[in-house]
Amino acid sequence: MAEQLLWIHHAPIQKKTQEIVGSGTDRSLSEYGLKVARSMAEVLHIMIDSDALSEPDSTILSSPLVRSTQTAEIIAARLGFDIQTDDRLKAQFFGDLEGRTIPELERSKRLKPYLYRYIDPVSRFDSRAAGEGESVSDVWVRAMDIRRESFETAQKGRFIITHGTVLDTIIGSIRALKHWDWDGVNREYPRSVIVDKKIEMDVIPLIKGDD
């Protein structure tokens, strides 16, 4: 049974041309994002090699979305690790709101009510958008499920590459935040490893960067 899990947000992706709900499409890492991923991989290699970070199991868990698998592949190649994907690590899916702009949704009689429930941090915990959208609670349930399973099955620990909406639920749970304070909490720890010790966490910054 592992004593810790090592959570990492995927590297930066291609910029949105305009502000939209969710990811819109399964976008790839930007050139800058590829550079960030390589830098993170190098720092992790140095930390493990110098025993500054305990070496985890040699299989990285990753969301199957491209931005996460690209990040995982770069880190895995540098560390000599394998990769296993799991749908429970996917970013939150916003159903019919996904990929649409706020003005577009405000003009839609059908989707406008869902938009307001999505914007409100209290109601969005249990509210699902049309088109099989997920609530924050849905994301939290699957994130906690793979977290529990990883603690039980990993031997030394495990790198897990995922998305901000998943990390928000992990960090918010460990820090015992009210669920309406979870949104965006992962941004407090950019380019870092979140060392999950079940009831507490440490943060290891890897590289500097605001984006």
Side-chain angles (χ1 to χ4, degrees):
M1 181 177 291
E3 295 184 357
Q4 63 183 28
L5 302 175
L6 305 166
W7 298 86
I8 298 176
H9 191 292
H10 64 76
I13 58 178
Q14 299 287 346
K15 290 288 188 181
K16 302 173 185 176
T17 57
Q18 54 187 326
E19 189 60 34
I20 59 174
V21 174
S23 299
T25 58
D26 189 6
R27 288 172 291 153
S28 301
L29 298 184
S30 63
E31 287 300 318
Y32 173 65
L34 293 170
K35 180 179 178 181
V36 167
R38 288 191 289 267
S39 296
M40 290 196 298
E42 186 61 32
V43 173
L44 290 170
H45 173 74
I46 292 170
M47 293 181 72
I48 291 173
D49 196 50
S50 65
D51 293 327
L53 180 67
S54 298
E55 183 173 359
D57 293 6
S58 60
T59 298
I60 296 174
L61 284 185
S62 173
S63 158
L65 299 183
V66 171
R67 52 197 184 273
S68 281
T69 57
Q70 284 183 308
T71 304
E73 285 166 0
I74 290 170
I75 293 174
R78 186 67 183 95
L79 301 181
F81 285 7
D82 298 318
I83 300 171
Q84 178 181 330
T85 60
D86 194 299
D87 284 350
R88 290 172 292 181
L89 294 171
K90 283 184 176 181
Q92 183 178 1
F93 178 61
F94 295 99
D96 289 347
L97 304 186
E98 190 84 23
R100 299 174 185 264
T101 65
I102 301 299
E104 180 184 359
L105 292 169
E106 287 180 328
R107 292 192 297 268
S108 170
K109 291 182 179 180
R110 181 176 71 89
L111 297 177
K112 187 175 181 178
Y114 294 103
L115 170 65
Y116 291 147
R117 289 197 290 271
Y118 157 75
I119 291 174
D120 182 78
V122 176
S123 65
R124 72 182 294 183
F125 184 74
D126 291 314
S127 295
R128 296 184 178 95
E132 300 183 351
E134 289 184 296
S135 66
V136 173
S137 177
D138 293 328
V139 178
W140 173 66
V141 167
R142 59 180 167 85
M144 290 298 105
D145 187 52
I146 195 166
R147 179 177 184 252
R148 173 195 53 76
E149 182 180 295
S150 295
F151 269 119
E152 291 177 354
T153 59
Q155 298 299 310
K156 296 180 290 184
R158 180 162 290 157
F159 282 124
I160 303 177
I161 315 294
T162 188
H163 307 267
T165 48
V166 175
L167 284 173
D168 283 346
T169 70
I170 297 293
I171 295 169
S173 297
I174 297 172
R175 290 176 49 184
L177 300 177
K178 299 294 186 182
H179 65 76
W180 52 82
D181 291 326
W182 288 2
D183 185 40
V185 72
N186 76 91
R187 299 189 191 101
E188 296 179 18
Y189 314 107
R191 313 294 174 261
S192 299
V193 176
I194 305 300
V195 183
D196 179 357
K197 300 179 178 180
K198 292 187 179 180
I199 60 173
E200 61 181 2
M201 70 180 216
D202 292 331
V203 180
I204 303 175
L206 297 178
I207 60 174
K208 295 181 179 180
D210 299 324
D211 184 58

